[in-house]
Amino acid sequence: MVNTRDNNLKGKVWLVGAGPGDVELLTLKAYRILQSAEVVLYDALISDEIMSVLPNTAEKIAVGKRAGKHSVPQNEINHLLVEQGQTGKKVVRLKGGDPFIFGRGGEELQAIVKAGLDFEVIPGITAASGTSAYAGIPLTHRDYAQGVTFMTGHCKLKSQPIDWNTYANPNNTLVIYMGILNANLIKQGLMAAGRNANTPVAIVSKATTSEQMKFIGTLNELDRLAAHPDLVMPALMIIGEVVQLSDTLNWYQSF
């Protein structure tokens, strides 16, 4: 019998995007790689349905981060990836959404490259695309938005101030990842830059899953929506005129 561990002494890591939650939104390639994984380092927000795709024999290592919760430091995740990759096993780094959109996939690959390991990147449906589709909110529309911008709200807004004027265009949809804890600062920044207080906004919780919920309001209400007692992470903010189409184009939620 051939020892497959000797076929690739350098080791290899697959960086896989799990999408926003619905297991059927996995790409065919992601599904195939997950089915044969031997070691999986996974994020905290990977849905149970996607975790069920993993082989029972695979070693599963939780490394994900979540705002306000205990998490594994990024340098430790990088170290674990390299350590596991060097075993010669089929190692998968499973990340929610797409690894290259606010997923720190680039940072992790830099550590893998530095260690001399081979790698592949399998993109996933990013939260912005999945959330907007399942919430009935087109991110662009000829009548409402000629562009869309993705930004992270999980940042040091006081020590590293954002130029909110960049995001004040009323004809541009703004999608904010990880912004719940900074909802009030985001609201204040956008309104100070000239974004209308009555701009429609949506916060979508646990998008694409059976637990999805939408919280619809206006920019002036953003902090109140973010504090809603029924809001459960993960959640994404969508700000712009396209949000007013949510009820008309709703197809997923029955409530």
Side-chain angles (χ1 to χ4, degrees):
M1 179 180 290
V2 176
N3 184 350
T4 58
R5 294 289 180 268
D6 294 334
N7 290 341
N8 188 357
L9 295 177
K10 289 177 61 179
K12 184 171 182 177
V13 175
W14 282 259
L15 188 62
V16 177
D22 185 346
V23 68
E24 292 188 304
L25 294 181
L26 283 172
T27 65
L28 290 174
K29 188 169 187 179
Y31 181 81
R32 175 173 60 81
I33 294 299
L34 291 178
Q35 288 276 287
S36 58
E38 295 175 283
V39 179
V40 180
L41 291 85
Y42 65 94
D43 280 349
L45 298 178
I46 301 298
S47 69
D48 292 340
E49 290 77 13
I50 290 175
M51 291 298 295
S52 71
V53 170
L54 304 178
N56 292 330
T57 55
E59 179 182 1
K60 304 170 185 71
I61 304 172
V63 296
K65 294 178 284 296
R66 182 182 291 190
K69 305 280 187 179
H70 173 72
S71 61
V72 180
Q74 187 62 53
N75 60 349
E76 187 174 333
I77 295 175
N78 296 348
H79 174 76
L80 280 169
L81 274 173
V82 170
E83 183 179 67
Q84 292 295 329
Q86 289 171 335
T87 65
K89 294 180 180 179
K90 188 166 187 177
V91 178
V92 171
R93 174 66 173 108
L94 185 61
K95 304 178 76 69
D98 181 271
F100 280 0
I101 299 182
F102 303 122
R104 297 192 179 183
E107 296 175 42
E108 294 176 3
L109 287 187
Q110 285 176 307
I112 291 169
V113 170
K114 186 176 180 180
L117 301 174
D118 289 334
F119 64 90
E120 279 188 44
V121 181
I122 302 174
I125 293 177
T126 186
S129 300
T131 298
S132 63
Y134 277 56
I137 303 172
L139 294 180
T140 61
H141 188 291
R142 286 193 301 171
D143 295 333
Y144 301 104
Q146 287 70 56
V148 58
T149 300
F150 300 165
M151 69 172 288
T152 175
H154 184 60
C155 51
K156 299 176 181 178
L157 295 178
K158 293 182 179 178
S159 60
Q160 299 175 1
I162 292 174
D163 180 5
W164 290 107
N165 293 311
T166 305
Y167 307 107
N169 183 352
N171 297 317
N172 194 72
T173 304
L174 183 59
V175 180
I176 304 179
Y177 289 67
M178 301 168 286
I180 299 303
L181 297 180
N182 284 323
N184 189 50
L185 291 172
I186 292 168
K187 177 187 83 170
Q188 292 177 356
L190 288 172
M191 289 173 57
R195 198 97 188 208
N196 193 306
N198 292 319
T199 300
V201 302
I203 298 179
V204 187
S205 170
K206 304 202 78 169
T208 79
T209 74
S210 60
E211 300 173 77
Q212 175 175 307
M213 294 188 71
K214 291 188 293 189
F215 304 86
I216 306 293
T218 62
L219 181 57
N220 193 45
E221 301 170 317
L222 186 63
D223 51 341
R224 183 179 63 79
L225 294 175
H228 196 287
D230 293 334
L231 181 65
V232 180
M233 299 300 162
L236 194 79
M237 296 177 178
I238 303 176
I239 300 173
E241 299 301 323
V242 290
V243 172
Q244 62 187 285
L245 296 172
S246 180
D247 287 340
T248 303
L249 303 183
N250 176 62
W251 63 273
Y252 183 66
Q253 287 180 264
S254 58
F255 52 87

